[in-house]
Amino acid sequence: MKNKYLILLLILLLFLNVSCSFILGIKKPELKNEKQLNDFLWKNINDSTMCYYFTKQSFDSIQKLSYKPNWQKGFRPLQFKVFNNYGNLIAQYSSCEGSLHKLKILSEYPPKNIFPLDSTITFINDLKMYRNNNSNVINPSLFNNSDLNIIVYWGTWLGHPGKNLLKKIIAYKKLYNDKKINIIKVNVAETYK
């Protein structure tokens, strides 16, 4: 009987030492070329349009900011931001907030937000952190006349949760196909432009 408890204790300690990243299949980011990233997108979501990259300087600085007001500083790689047609942030989600399904953030139009938002974040300022394949600044006029602009962070290293987040955002756009919704995919730390 004593051995049984000892074995259970060892299993529990081993489980606690295995990180969440390992369990979910999240790996350490590594630099990849544009073809590798596009292949990943086509294989998983059949779309590599509106794909952008963080500038190294922006990625380094965003890691030092709070995710939302009164949250700890630090970058959340599994996240999306939703901006209305005026460029105001109306919703922001990260996996650390809980289950996207249970929070029902994407269950209505426009998406509802759960926790307070940083009102200083605007669509135009957010776009300044990203570049396209040719290292060009993104022209905000590309997104004129949109009902919503959703920026979703992705990376091949984010495993199953990352793929699911992309798929859920695409499903949301299809659900509200009478609205003009742009999905802007920003690669997280696999390549810098």
Side-chain angles (χ1 to χ4, degrees), residues 1-14:
M1 188 74 158
K2 199 174 193 181
N3 286 338
K4 194 185 245 184
Y5 288 115
L6 183 60
I7 291 171
L8 285 173
L9 180 63
L10 286 172
I11 290 171
L12 178 64
L13 288 173
L14 181 63

Side-chain angles (χ1 to χ4, degrees), residues 2-3 16 18 43 62 77 87-89 96 99 101 111 121 134 139 142 156 158 166-167 171 176 183 187 189 191:
K2 199 174 193 181
N3 286 338
L16 291 174
V18 174
K43 179 181 175 188
I62 200 169
N88 300 321
L89 182 66
C96 60
S99 163
H101 177 73
I121 297 174
N134 302 318
N139 183 351
L142 293 172
T156 63
L158 292 172
L166 280 168
K167 289 177 182 178
Y176 297 100
I183 300 174
N187 182 265
T191 188

Side-chain angles (χ1 to χ4, degrees), residues 111-129:
K112 61 181 180 177
N113 195 65
I114 303 302
F115 298 105
L117 295 169
D118 183 347
S119 61
T120 64
I121 297 174
T122 64
F123 183 60
I124 290 177
N125 285 339
D126 219 59
L127 285 182
K128 292 176 184 175
M129 295 190 296

Side-chain angles (χ1 to χ4, degrees), residues 6-173:
L6 183 60
I7 291 171
L8 285 173
L9 180 63
L10 286 172
I11 290 171
L12 178 64
L13 288 173
L14 181 63
F15 183 75
L16 291 174
N17 283 329
V18 174
S19 71
C20 178
S21 298
F22 177 78
I23 292 168
L24 296 174
I26 296 174
K27 303 171 189 156
K28 183 179 179 191
E30 58 184 54
L31 295 180
K32 295 189 180 286
N33 64 41
E34 187 179 336
K35 182 183 179 334
Q36 291 171 308
L37 297 174
N38 285 338
D39 288 348
F40 174 85
L41 288 173
W42 275 107
K43 179 181 175 188
N44 291 285
I45 60 170
N46 299 321
D47 180 15
S48 64
T49 60
M50 286 199 203
C51 185
Y52 300 97
Y53 309 92
F54 267 102
T55 64
K56 174 121 176 58
Q57 181 182 5
S58 296
F59 188 74
D60 290 345
S61 67
I62 200 169
Q63 294 184 71
K64 299 172 187 158
L65 301 174
S66 295
Y67 163 65
K68 285 185 177 179
N70 302 317
W71 284 61
Q72 278 187 325
K73 292 180 181 180
F75 181 66
R76 285 22 178 219
L78 279 171
Q79 72 166 284
F80 65 84
K81 301 175 189 176
V82 182
F83 297 88
N84 65 14
N85 59 339
Y86 299 107
N88 300 321
L89 182 66
I90 60 168
Q92 184 177 12
Y93 166 80
S94 171
S95 59
C96 60
E97 294 181 65
S99 163
L100 186 58
H101 177 73
K102 288 181 182 176
L103 294 173
K104 300 183 188 286
I105 294 170
L106 296 175
S107 65
E108 59 188 55
Y109 181 89
K112 61 181 180 177
N113 195 65
I114 303 302
F115 298 105
L117 295 169
D118 183 347
S119 61
T120 64
I121 297 174
T122 64
F123 183 60
I124 290 177
N125 285 339
D126 219 59
L127 285 182
K128 292 176 184 175
M129 295 190 296
Y130 319 122
R131 299 291 182 265
N132 66 11
N133 305 7
N134 302 318
S135 299
N136 295 326
V137 175
I138 303 168
N139 183 351
S141 67
L142 293 172
F143 307 101
N144 286 349
N145 304 317
S146 300
D147 295 311
L148 292 179
N149 289 300
I150 302 175
I151 296 176
V152 59
Y153 293 165
W154 70 279
T156 63
W157 59 281
L158 292 172
H160 191 67
K163 292 176 200 174
N164 276 347
L165 184 60
L166 280 168
K167 289 177 182 178
K168 286 176 183 175
I169 296 296
I170 290 168
Y172 181 81
K173 178 179 178 174

